[in-house]
Amino acid sequence: MTKYISRLLPAIILAILTAAPLAIPQQRKAQPPKSVRLYVFDCGSLNIPDITPYQLKKEELATTLMSVPCFLVAHPKGTLVWDTGAVPDSAFKPGGGPGTLRYATAPKPLTAQLAEIGYAPADITYLAFSHFHWDHIGNANAFAGSTWLVRKPERDIMFTEPFSPRTEPANYSALKNSKTTLIATDDHDVFGDGTVVLKATPGHSPAHQVLFLKLSKTGPVVISGDLYHYPEERKLKRIPTTEFNAEQTVASRAALEAFLKKSGAQLWIQHDYKANAKLKKSPQYYE
Ligand SMILES: [Zn+2]
């Protein structure tokens, strides 16, 4: 009997050792920062199969790839998650490795990236998307316990059948019962101090919006959603053929460009693969 156990012992020890990482508790819970912080997460990339809808030729583009960042804004009074990637965390296999959906690939689950800096979905006060397309709502359901900040025309298209083929309704279905703030003004000041503002920029979708941040060291920044996809769209003034309302897109772009001039804000184009690669990624942050 003793001999039997001693023969098994190495296997028992190995089992305990390999199980040990699972028992490591989550990082220490994050505390509210003294000033606004912006964390950028790598939620993967899109290998665009057909660029013709962007009215751009391959030789006009630095790359046809698009980046997919996700963002956390940590404010002294609460937190906001802005866009939740394309690939839901449930699409990742337990052994590790990238997750995929349609033509998107992501290196790591979003909730795991949040946990690394001490945030659980339950710590997220507000959830907002630039718009409802599949590559922005991947992990929406994880934040169904947050207050959803959305405009009525955008929420309506998300829950009206037949569903748009440009999204994945299953990935946001839990938001139907979320505590929801229906934004009725062009600007929505999330924390009431002008540092985190959702700005209406309709056209790409019925009620597309961008995120304006006033950061103490970085300065003002606008995070674009899909007001532009490729940076060349901005330079060459090209409008995709697949906009919900192209005229609105033209007007929204003009208004935002005027705002950038007036405010001195930088524009971060979320899908700009090369610019996104240069951004500091979580656990580093902008402040
Ligand atoms: Zn997109």
Side-chain angles (χ1 to χ4, degrees):
M1 189 62 180
T2 338
K3 212 172 164 193
Y4 181 62
I5 288 173
S6 65
R7 228 191 301 149
L8 269 180
L9 208 58
I12 293 166
I13 290 169
L14 187 70
I16 291 168
L17 284 177
T18 50
L22 296 173
I24 290 172
Q26 195 190 310
Q27 269 252 335
R28 215 157 54 92
K29 205 171 156 71
Q31 298 302 309
K34 295 224 158 59
S35 65
V36 181
R37 286 184 186 180
L38 172 65
Y39 292 91
V40 184
F41 303 105
D42 182 359
C43 285
S45 59
L46 304 175
N47 190 1
I48 302 297
D50 175 19
I51 60 160
T52 50
Y54 297 97
Q55 307 228 60
L56 286 157
K57 296 190 190 79
K58 208 174 166 190
E59 52 275 21
E60 291 175 314
L61 294 173
T63 174
T64 59
L65 289 173
M66 291 186 187
S67 47
V68 182
C70 301
F71 301 87
L72 170 70
V73 179
H75 182 282
K77 284 200 231 156
T79 51
L80 165 75
V81 161
W82 171 258
D83 284 358
T84 60
V87 181
D89 289 2
S90 59
F92 287 81
K93 294 193 183 78
T100 59
L101 178 70
R102 300 196 194 186
Y103 46 86
T105 308
K108 211 174 185 184
L110 173 58
T111 51
Q113 297 189 60
L114 280 165
E116 280 168 7
I117 52 167
Y119 290 93
D123 302 322
I124 306 307
T125 321
Y126 299 110
L127 171 69
F129 311 108
S130 55
H131 64 298
F132 76 104
H133 291 169
W134 67 279
D135 55 315
H136 298 258
I137 53 80
N139 285 291
N141 285 341
F143 306 99
S146 310
T147 297
W148 182 24
L149 307 177
V150 64
R151 297 160 196 275
K152 191 172 180 296
E154 198 78 4
R155 191 184 183 283
D156 285 350
I157 202 172
M158 293 170 78
F159 292 109
T160 304
E161 293 188 55
F163 295 120
S164 163
R166 302 191 69 173
T167 195
E168 295 281 351
N171 290 349
Y172 60 73
S173 55
L175 298 187
K176 195 158 194 181
N177 302 312
S178 288
K179 193 177 165 204
T180 302
T181 299
L182 288 176
I183 302 169
T185 49
D186 280 357
D187 282 5
H188 177 75
D189 188 347
V190 178
F191 297 101
D193 62 359
T195 58
V196 182
V197 180
L198 304 175
K199 296 181 77 64
T201 46
H204 181 64
S205 69
H208 183 277
Q209 52 189 356
V210 298
L211 175 62
F212 171 70
L213 299 171
K214 229 185 231 172
L215 299 170
S216 60
K217 289 187 184 158
T218 310
V221 175
V222 169
I223 303 181
S224 68
D226 286 8
L227 185 65
Y228 301 100
H229 307 79
Y230 293 113
E232 291 86 353
E233 276 171 60
R234 189 181 183 197
K235 234 183 304 172
L236 302 170
K237 294 190 161 45
R238 304 280 168 80
I239 307 281
T241 55
T242 46
E243 295 294 273
F244 179 76
N245 183 327
E247 272 169 55
Q248 276 188 341
T249 296
V250 172
S252 289
R253 284 183 178 185
L256 190 81
E257 293 294 346
F259 174 75
L260 293 172
K261 235 180 213 169
K262 198 182 76 183
S263 64
Q266 313 172 37
L267 179 66
W268 291 5
I269 299 176
Q270 288 180 222
H271 285 316
D272 181 344
Y273 190 84
K274 294 203 152 178
N276 187 263
K278 289 186 196 139
L279 293 180
K280 283 190 278 195
K281 302 294 178 327
S282 177
Q284 297 182 80
Y285 55 84
Y286 291 89
E287 61 182 336

